[in-house]
Amino acid sequence: MSMLQATGWLGNLTNEELNQVEKRGILKRYCAKKIIFEKDEVLNRYYYVVDGLIQAYHQNRDGRKWIVGQFSQGDLFPHTGLVGDETIYPASSKTLASSILFVIDRQAARELIHRIPSLGQWITQFLANKNQELISRFSDLVLEPALSQLVSLLKRLARQSGIQVSDGWVLIPNLMAEQDLAAYIGVAPETVSRLFRRLYRRNCAKSAGRGKIYVNFDKLPI
DNA sequence: CCATTAATTGGCA
DNA sequence: TGCCAATTAATGG
């Protein structure tokens, strides 16, 4: 079982340490659109994404949704309770696509962090990055209009998973659906649709079919 | 092919 | 911009 190793994210660990980690958790396969846990449930498991796509979100009684984040290969979630004493999940999460998760009990996770310093380091760094990203999103949400939020999201995705295709053009191969983009930046789906129309018209972006889009890094506003 | 779900559009607050 | 309603497009059986 070297699936954790294959993800490359725990690369700092020695084989022995990796074994320590692997024998304390199990691999679990999920179909698409399955709830993994819901907000306010008791936080007793952590999940490391070996493969697939997961969405974390808040939802109110009216069904209105705000997407906290999306996790893919190499991500660990939730992001609370590893060092502090939070006892419930801060958001709900579900699979967007069929996924393989490495599942580990909370207590076991805490022991591992204690036992393997480099793992603690990795997690600290990981959480810091997630935190930074979230702060930046909140800042945009409060300070920037929708177009600028969308553009900064596209830029981040292009940086993270973009594929260079030609002069200035980058393909984002796994873009979430427009309604998810809307729930992510906190605007109505119609707004996202109209913003994309503007970007297409200005030749800043080109649609490439479902879940794919070309963006021109240089021409994108802001 | 049909049944759903997603995206687009126009109108109006 | 948001929300609603009416279409139209895209998907997945």
Side-chain angles (χ1 to χ4, degrees), chain A residues 9 12 74-76 79 82-83 113 117-133:
Chain A
W9 279 77
N12 298 341
D75 281 320
L76 175 73
H79 299 158
L82 274 173
V83 291
I113 291 174
S118 61
L119 181 61
Q121 256 175 8
W122 179 82
I123 286 177
T124 302
Q125 182 64 53
F126 174 79
L127 292 179
N129 289 344
K130 291 293 177 188
N131 186 47
Q132 190 53 49
E133 188 179 309

Side-chain angles (χ1 to χ4, degrees), chain A residues 130-146:
Chain A
K130 291 293 177 188
N131 186 47
Q132 190 53 49
E133 188 179 309
L134 204 52
I135 293 279
S136 157
R137 276 180 63 202
F138 271 123
S139 161
D140 281 355
L141 181 57
V142 175
L143 299 173
E144 306 295 341

Side-chain angles (χ1 to χ4, degrees), chain A residues 73-219:
Chain A
Q73 185 175 94
D75 281 320
L76 175 73
F77 66 97
H79 299 158
T80 57
L82 274 173
V83 291
D85 56 3
E86 295 88 342
T87 55
I88 56 176
Y89 287 111
S92 304
S93 71
K94 69 177 178 185
T95 57
L96 288 181
S98 65
S99 307
I100 300 173
L101 304 180
F102 178 72
V103 188
I104 187 164
D105 279 354
R106 182 180 192 189
Q107 191 51 40
R110 300 184 83 145
E111 280 171 21
L112 280 172
I113 291 174
H114 184 256
R115 184 166 313 200
I116 307 175
S118 61
L119 181 61
Q121 256 175 8
W122 179 82
I123 286 177
T124 302
Q125 182 64 53
F126 174 79
L127 292 179
N129 289 344
K130 291 293 177 188
N131 186 47
Q132 190 53 49
E133 188 179 309
L134 204 52
I135 293 279
S136 157
R137 276 180 63 202
F138 271 123
S139 161
D140 281 355
L141 181 57
V142 175
L143 299 173
E144 306 295 341
L147 176 61
S148 152
Q149 290 187 66
L150 180 61
V151 167
S152 89
L153 173 58
L154 289 177
K155 284 183 173 174
R156 182 165 58 76
L157 292 176
R159 263 198 313 279
Q160 286 175 355
S161 63
I163 301 165
Q164 218 78 30
V165 285
S166 63
D167 47 316
W169 288 95
V170 177
L171 171 66
I172 300 175
N174 50 0
L175 189 67
M176 51 186 127
E178 285 190 13
Q179 45 180 359
D180 284 339
L181 285 170
Y184 191 84
I185 64 181
V187 300
E190 294 93 331
T191 300
V192 170
S193 173
R194 286 166 171 140
L195 291 177
F196 269 123
R197 190 159 52 81
R198 284 164 60 183
L199 291 178
Y200 294 149
R201 199 160 5 93
R202 292 163 54 173
N203 273 310
C204 300
K206 289 178 189 170
S207 176
R210 188 158 194 68
K212 298 196 194 84
I213 190 175
Y214 291 106
V215 295
N216 190 313
F217 236 98
D218 307 326
K219 292 185 184 172

